């Protein structure tokens, strides 16, 4: 009886602790920090659906991320990534602004008008093979002080290429 009760309780706890990954859709609310901001930064991932490769015991989802602002010069004040699970976007990480200059090639976190900036090696790396959705976001200010944003999703799959 004790063994059955223990197994039943363990199964119940595991069920509660499981993360529900899913697929965002047009009805999925945006995160609070960007939902009311004007979109003025274009964000693109290549490829948009990203299949992993395995090297030694590590999986790599290799992709590039590009940002561009056509209308004006923009000073980035925050950027990072969300992960989609439990039917909502959950903040994964806001990155230090100094990293933007290193990874995207901006100077003092400033995007010049019409100039594309690309992080060529924006890779997801892990020792477990599973897919999921992420959304990169960028928040900036125009020269006249307007706060704007840009964001784009990327689908990382579990379809191993090798």
């Amino acid at each position: 009886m004790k063994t059955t009760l223990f197994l039943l309780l363990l199964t119940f706890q595991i069920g509660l602790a499981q993360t529900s990954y899913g697929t965002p859709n047009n009805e999925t609310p945006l995160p609070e920090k960007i939902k009311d901001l004007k979109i003025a930064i274009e964000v693109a991932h290549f490829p948009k659906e990203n299949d992993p490769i395995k090297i030694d015991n590590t999986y790599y989802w290799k992709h590039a991320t590009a940002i561009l602002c056509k209308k004006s010069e923009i000073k980035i004040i925050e950027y990072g990534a969300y992960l989609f699970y439990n039917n909502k976007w959950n903040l994964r990480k806001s990155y230090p602004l100094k990293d933007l200059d290193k990874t995207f090639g901006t100077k003092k976190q400033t995007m010049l008008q019409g100039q594309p900036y690309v992080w060529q090696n924006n890779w997801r790396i892990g020792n477990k093979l599973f897919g999921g959705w992420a959304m990169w976001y960028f928040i900036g200010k125009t020269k006249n002080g307007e706060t704007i944003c840009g964001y784009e999703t990327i689908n990382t799959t579990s379809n191993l290429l090798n």
Side-chain angles (χ1 to χ4, degrees):
M1 177 71 176
K2 284 184 179 180
T3 304
T4 304
L5 186 58
F6 173 75
L7 289 174
L8 185 60
L9 183 60
L10 182 63
T11 303
F12 178 73
Q13 287 177 331
I14 290 171
L16 287 178
Q18 284 184 332
T19 302
S20 170
Y21 298 99
T23 301
N25 59 41
N26 292 335
E27 308 289 314
T28 304
L30 289 172
E32 286 293 317
K33 64 174 67 182
I34 61 172
K35 74 176 185 129
D36 294 325
L37 296 178
K38 176 182 170 185
I39 299 170
I41 300 169
E42 294 181 35
V43 182
H45 300 289
F46 177 79
K48 179 131 170 87
E49 186 170 282
N50 193 241
D51 301 314
I53 63 166
K54 187 174 184 182
I55 301 171
D56 298 324
N57 290 322
T58 305
Y59 298 100
Y60 295 84
W61 289 262
K62 296 182 177 188
H63 66 282
T65 301
I67 53 176
L68 172 78
C69 184
K70 291 182 180 179
K71 296 187 179 193
S72 67
E73 182 176 291
I74 299 291
K75 172 88 171 176
I76 299 296
I77 59 172
E78 182 179 342
Y79 79 109
Y82 285 88
L83 298 178
F84 187 79
Y85 58 88
N86 294 339
N87 296 316
K88 66 179 185 173
W89 291 110
N90 299 273
L91 184 64
R92 178 187 172 270
K93 182 176 182 175
S94 288
Y95 289 87
L97 286 173
K98 64 180 179 165
D99 288 356
L100 187 76
D101 291 345
K102 287 190 286 186
T103 54
F104 283 90
T106 57
K107 290 188 176 41
K108 298 181 182 178
Q109 300 85 44
T110 300
M111 297 173 60
L112 300 176
Q113 181 180 16
Q115 174 67 44
Y117 297 91
V118 181
W119 183 3
Q120 293 179 355
N121 298 327
N122 185 7
W123 300 351
R124 178 181 152 201
I125 300 169
N127 58 3
K128 294 182 181 172
L129 179 62
F130 65 94
W133 285 85
M135 177 173 51
W136 280 81
Y137 75 95
F138 298 82
I139 300 173
K141 285 207 179 267
T142 64
K143 281 192 171 190
N144 63 3
E146 181 183 14
T147 303
I148 52 86
C149 77
Y151 55 88
E152 184 59 79
T153 60
I154 184 168
N155 180 17
T156 55
T157 77
S158 58
N159 303 325
L160 193 59
L161 294 177
N162 58 349

